[in-house]
């Protein structure tokens, strides 16, 4: 059965790097960066935490829907899509599941902890936003407890993180 992988975590957790590296480990892997889809909106974009909140939520749903459409299209051609995006609760997991019928869904939450994420974020010249979203760590730990595979990658290398994910992939099924 075709599958879709989602790499989750707060900003600075290592989602994008891990998702790209994981996708490269598959014979036919594709990395879908959720933030890039948001960046496609050139006029009227409402970033997370922006105003008005109704527009923000609509754009998050639009982003998730298009991630899923793209992932399903990719999976139909025997590629393995790996999405990276922030998934904060079970309702969002269910939203993904509804939009990828007939496909296996794996959720991996990278959880290095807030101090590690903040430190990593400072090394990213293109965007430094973890300090704004650090509060999501506690929300995710509460809302997604027991959902998918959780990886404390605070002391793991990138290769160790991806190796751990692949060796525990059955635990990632949602």
């Amino acid at each position: 059965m075709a599958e879709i992988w989602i790499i989750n975590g707060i900003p600075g957790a290592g989602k994008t790097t891990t998702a790209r590296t994981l996708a490269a480990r598959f014979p036919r892997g594709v990395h879908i960066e959720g933030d890039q889809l948001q960046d496609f909106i050139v006029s009227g974009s409402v970033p997370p935490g922006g105003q008005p909140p109704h527009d923000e939520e609509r754009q998050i749903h639009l982003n998730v829907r298009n991630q899923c459409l793209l992932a399903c299209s990719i999976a139909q051609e025997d590629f393995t899509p790996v999405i990276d995006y922030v998934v904060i609760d079970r309702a969002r997991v269910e939203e993904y599941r509804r939009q990828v019928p007939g496909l296996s869904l794996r959720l991996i939450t990278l959880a290095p902890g807030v101090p590690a994420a903040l430190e990593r974020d400072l090394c990213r010249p293109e965007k430094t936003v973890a300090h704004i979203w650090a509060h999501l760590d506690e929300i995710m730990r509460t809302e997604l407890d027991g959902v998918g595979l959780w990886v404390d990658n605070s002391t793991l290398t990138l290769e160790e993180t991806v190796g751990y994910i692949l060796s525990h992939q059955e635990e990632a099924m949602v």
Side-chain angles (χ1 to χ4, degrees):
M1 174 183 281
E3 57 190 17
I4 293 173
W5 296 65
I6 301 172
I7 305 297
N8 179 37
I10 64 171
K15 293 181 303 299
T16 301
T17 306
T18 301
R20 180 167 289 286
T21 303
L22 177 63
R25 295 282 290 272
F26 297 121
R28 295 167 53 101
V30 175
H31 174 215
I32 301 169
E33 190 175 345
D35 287 350
Q36 278 190 335
L37 292 179
Q38 180 67 34
D39 290 344
F40 287 170
I41 301 173
V42 295
S43 179
S45 178
V46 178
Q51 296 295 324
H54 174 72
D55 284 348
E56 172 195 357
E57 195 61 24
R58 282 183 49 220
Q59 288 182 22
I60 289 171
H61 291 299
L62 175 66
N63 193 324
V64 169
R65 185 171 66 245
N66 281 290
Q67 289 172 34
C68 292
L69 288 168
L70 186 55
C72 287
S73 177
I74 287 165
Q76 286 175 350
E77 296 301 323
D78 298 320
F79 283 85
T80 301
V82 181
I83 298 168
D84 83 76
Y85 201 57
V86 177
V87 179
I88 63 169
D89 57 25
R90 292 171 192 260
R92 186 77 68 225
V93 174
E94 289 306 314
E95 182 177 359
Y96 277 99
R97 191 188 331 254
R98 279 192 311 274
Q99 295 192 49
V100 295
L103 299 175
S104 296
L105 184 62
R106 297 181 194 272
L107 176 69
I108 296 88
T109 299
L110 301 178
V114 171
L118 291 171
E119 184 177 324
R120 290 175 183 173
D121 192 55
L122 291 175
C123 297
R124 300 188 307 178
E126 69 279 0
K127 62 179 179 181
T128 305
V129 297
H131 63 285
I132 299 168
W133 302 107
H135 69 281
L136 293 179
D137 185 75
E138 185 178 337
I139 294 169
M140 284 180 190
R141 289 177 190 275
T142 301
E143 295 292 325
L144 293 174
D145 183 45
V147 179
L149 175 65
W150 283 72
V151 180
D152 176 353
N153 61 330
S154 60
T155 61
L156 300 176
T157 67
L158 177 59
E159 287 303 318
E160 289 170 336
T161 300
V162 172
Y164 184 87
I165 290 168
L166 289 170
S167 67
H168 292 83
Q169 61 184 288
E170 291 310 310
E171 296 170 46
M173 293 293 290
V174 291

